[in-house]
Amino acid sequence: MKNLPKWVDLALIPLINLFLAFMISGLVVVYIGENPFRAMQIIINGSLGSAYGLGYTLYYATNFIFTGLAVAVAFHARMFNIGGEGQAMVGGLGTALVCLFIDWPHWTIAFPVAIMSAALFGAAWSAIPAYLQAKRGSHIVITTIMFNFIAYSMMVYLLVHVLKPKGQMAPESAKFVAGSNLPSAHDIFGWFGMAFPKSPPLNITFLLAVLACFLIWLFIWRTRMGYAIRAFGWSETAAVYAGISPFKIIMVSMLVSGGLAGMMSINSVMGEAERLLIDSVQGAGFVGIAAALMGRSHPLGVFLAAVLFGVLYQGGAELEFEMPAVSREMIVVIQALVILFTGALENLVRVPIGKIFMKLNTKQN
């Protein structure tokens, strides 16, 4: 089924999978005695129907864009980087160290330094699993999962015993210096004389995420290294025969992947909380896997999938409030169904559609 038209592979199949996921979700809503069409209306209105909802939707989407791109880059090298959670946590540590111990005069100076620090820490955390994969053959899935737990334990220790201010009960760092506070969407719109609610945590990091999509597209499809990564992902044997070093490809792709995951912390740690928290990632690393799968590892697809999951997150919160019968667990079920149909059950749609196109091509010939 590899000869499907691109519009079928990149658009039609994901849309059908999405439709099936929402259809099954609707049946679940019917089962608990609620109207699925009203539930869908609440989700859409709550996430996209107001500036308030849109702000939260794009805030969540920003996290998922970074982690989705991180997974996508590794996918192109035929590796499954499931360690985005840990890499984002450690990236948050890099962000916090820059923002806590340097008295920045203005955010425009702190922002690029924090980006580099977050990316460096995230890349460093992914470097060890990458080296073990490249040199020792240790499976990247196993090592990155293990490093998620190590990262969480390390963050707990640092926040409880090292970074927590004296006399404070909550396991979190001190508030960052004022000069490192990023402008929110409210501030940015205010520069142009437009109004935007203050409460949504959407900030300038969203623009960084959009830029990251473009740069990753350039890297993967317009550079020699990107070509080598894709060639290695398609066939390691052929890539080696062509003179491509597996060690180099594994290390570069995982370092880029870890750096992207680490940059997610700019949004949640520096942009929203303005302090380092234990749960600053909030599962975004795992949602990024779904975004990469649904987006076919293409930056544009990852962006659209991330926005979709942002809609589900924000709209799900509104749905839980408007429909008390729909619990938080039910919202997770809906999100899980989207992941299930767009990821694990993709061939449920791909195979029959592939057969249809094969028959059509046979008739035309």
Side-chain angles (χ1 to χ4, degrees):
M1 307 303 171
K2 293 182 179 179
N3 296 323
L4 289 174
K6 280 191 175 182
W7 68 270
V8 174
D9 185 39
L10 300 178
L12 181 61
I13 292 177
L15 286 175
I16 294 175
N17 283 326
L18 193 60
F19 172 77
L20 291 174
F22 282 128
M23 187 174 68
I24 301 299
S25 301
L27 294 177
V28 173
V29 174
V30 170
Y31 177 76
I32 63 175
E34 294 288 353
N35 186 337
F37 297 103
R38 180 170 173 264
M40 181 59 67
Q41 183 182 20
I42 291 172
I43 289 176
I44 294 174
N45 288 340
S47 58
L48 302 174
S50 66
Y52 173 87
L54 182 63
Y56 272 94
T57 297
L58 294 181
Y59 165 76
Y60 293 128
T62 303
N63 291 337
F64 305 150
I65 289 170
F66 282 117
T67 55
L69 289 175
V71 175
V73 170
F75 274 169
H76 281 293
R78 204 175 58 185
M79 289 187 296
F80 194 173
N81 178 17
I82 204 170
E85 284 280 304
Q87 291 149 19
M89 289 181 201
V90 177
L93 176 62
T95 302
L97 293 178
V98 165
C99 296
L100 279 172
F101 300 113
I102 301 177
D103 190 10
W104 298 103
H106 198 265
W107 70 267
T108 53
I109 305 173
F111 191 38
V113 177
I115 292 170
M116 290 186 287
S117 180
L120 180 63
F121 272 64
W125 198 249
S126 68
I128 302 174
Y131 182 84
L132 292 174
Q133 166 84 18
K135 283 294 186 182
R136 300 295 182 183
S138 303
H139 202 289
I140 200 73
V141 171
I142 303 300
T143 53
T144 49
I145 288 176
M146 293 170 63
F147 268 64
N148 283 342
F149 288 98
I150 296 171
Y152 182 79
S153 300
M154 181 180 71
M155 294 302 296
V156 170
Y157 174 82
L158 290 174
L159 285 172
V160 171
H161 298 287
V162 179
L163 296 176
K164 185 180 73 172
K166 290 183 179 180
Q168 179 177 292
M169 293 296 294
E172 59 188 40
S173 74
K175 191 173 176 63
F176 296 160
V177 296
S180 66
N181 295 346
L182 297 180
S184 65
H186 171 79
D187 300 324
I188 296 171
F189 276 87
W191 297 342
F192 301 97
M194 294 183 285
F196 196 88
K198 273 188 175 182
S199 51
L202 179 65
N203 58 81
I204 199 170
T205 314
F206 174 72
L207 301 180
L208 176 65
V210 174
L211 177 62
C213 288
F214 176 70
L215 293 178
I216 291 301
W217 175 80
L218 282 179
F219 174 68
I220 295 295
W221 277 276
R222 291 294 184 271
T223 66
R224 293 182 64 181
M225 177 54 68
Y227 178 82
I229 288 173
R230 287 185 289 124
F232 181 83
W234 277 106
S235 174
E236 181 178 350
T237 303
V240 171
Y241 184 77
I244 296 173
S245 167
F247 177 81
K248 183 178 180 180
I249 295 301
I250 291 172
M251 292 301 299
V252 169
S253 57
M254 281 299 294
L255 288 174
V256 173
S257 179
L260 286 165
M263 287 168 63
M264 190 225 85
S265 64
I266 299 293
N267 188 46
S268 58
V269 174
M270 189 178 183
E272 182 200 11
E274 297 176 353
R275 59 173 61 85
L276 184 60
L277 309 173
I278 285 181
D279 195 25
S280 60
V281 181
Q282 297 180 337
F286 296 117
V287 178
I289 297 172
L293 286 170
M294 189 173 181
R296 298 295 189 271
S297 298
H298 191 284
L300 178 59
V302 170
F303 176 85
L304 295 175
V307 172
L308 170 65
F309 281 104
V311 167
L312 291 177
Y313 262 62
Q314 173 58 21
E318 294 291 331
L319 182 62
E320 185 181 7
F321 179 77
E322 295 288 339
M323 282 188 174
V326 181
S327 64
R328 182 62 192 169
E329 288 73 22
M330 295 299 300
I331 305 300
V332 175
V333 168
I334 295 173
Q335 295 167 353
L337 285 169
V338 173
I339 296 172
L340 180 67
F341 276 92
T342 57
L345 297 181
E346 179 192 355
N347 286 334
L348 186 70
V349 173
R350 178 179 292 276
V351 172
I353 287 183
K355 290 180 179 178
I356 291 172
F357 273 87
M358 286 178 64
K359 289 181 180 179
L360 291 175
N361 290 334
T362 303
K363 289 181 180 179
Q364 289 176 357
N365 296 331

